[in-house]
Amino acid sequence: MMLALVLAGCAEFDYGRSRLPPAGSAGDPPATYRVQRGDTLYRIAWRYGLSYKKVARWNHIGAPYTIYPGQRLTLRPSSGGSRSAATSTGSGSSSRSTRSAGTRSSSPAPETKPPGDWRWPLKGKVLEGYSAGGSGKHGITIGTGGDDTVRAAASGRVVYSGSGLRGYGRLVIVKHNESYLTAYAYNRELLVTEGTRVDAGTPLAHAGRTPKGHTGIHFELRRNGNPVNPLKYLPSR
């Protein structure tokens, strides 16, 4: 179904630089491009001889440059500083507005309200807190607390379930609305497939072991593609 969460840096996505065709081999870029399964923003930009950072800017996509199968990307800057819509079609698609290169809006894009039923994805303690700085992952590590069932933090749709994203082990990503998604990394076993509708509390996976040896998961919450501190959203314990 959806994504790249496709969550760059030493521990984040590598944008699929390996086994790339020659830069610009796809010819002149079309006005829009529909993302296919396995695509990354870097690969798409490379094929058309574009800068992936410019493509990200035109589509208002922040790091880690998450994209989704079925999503439509603008591959040319909009003319005259006007804003055009880069829309997605099909289930699990998302809509993103685009900006012309070199221009900035005086106010941020409107934000979809967050889901009202956030819940903890795992019953254990927070073993590593959130850090906004650095080049690594921006989330929290949660221990199992005796129950290794990883559950959806809110209702939504599973947009990624697999182990193809470097540095995240077996990963599940749930899109909750146009602004919010959550990521559950380093699972031992995945219980859901892409496209599955889930409610808050639906089992997604069984927790595994993080690179630092913790039994639990790495959990990220992203708003408009940017990481935010999950502890500001999850209920107090």
Side-chain angles (χ1 to χ4, degrees), residues 17-105:
R17 288 174 169 82
S18 60
R19 299 185 299 277
L20 287 173
S25 61
D28 293 335
T32 62
Y33 174 86
R34 184 169 182 174
V35 178
Q36 305 298 312
R37 186 184 298 274
D39 276 343
T40 65
L41 193 68
Y42 184 91
R43 282 179 175 272
I44 294 168
W46 178 273
R47 290 200 300 265
Y48 289 103
L50 300 170
S51 161
Y52 75 90
K53 290 185 177 180
K54 286 185 178 181
V55 175
R57 185 166 66 246
W58 297 337
N59 290 276
H60 205 186
I61 301 173
Y65 310 113
T66 299
I67 58 173
Y68 315 93
Q71 179 180 355
R72 289 193 180 277
L73 297 178
T74 291
L75 297 187
R76 301 176 188 172
S78 57
S79 60
S82 61
R83 180 180 294 178
S84 62
T87 58
S88 305
T89 58
S91 59
S93 63
S94 70
S95 298
R96 297 178 183 269
S97 60
T98 61
R99 290 197 180 112
S100 63
T103 63
R104 293 182 182 270
S105 173

Side-chain angles (χ1 to χ4, degrees), residues 166-202:
R166 179 183 174 185
Y168 282 80
R170 292 183 176 91
L171 173 69
V172 175
I173 300 166
V174 177
K175 182 182 180 184
H176 303 288
N177 57 29
E178 292 305 310
S179 291
Y180 289 89
L181 59 78
T182 49
Y184 314 75
Y186 305 124
N187 298 289
R188 172 173 55 85
E189 180 184 10
L190 304 179
L191 303 177
V192 291
T193 57
E194 295 174 10
T196 302
R197 283 282 183 185
V198 296
D199 296 321
T202 297

Side-chain angles (χ1 to χ4, degrees), residues 129-144:
Y130 178 82
S131 175
S135 60
K137 300 178 180 66
H138 302 295
I140 60 176
T141 298
I142 309 173
T144 61

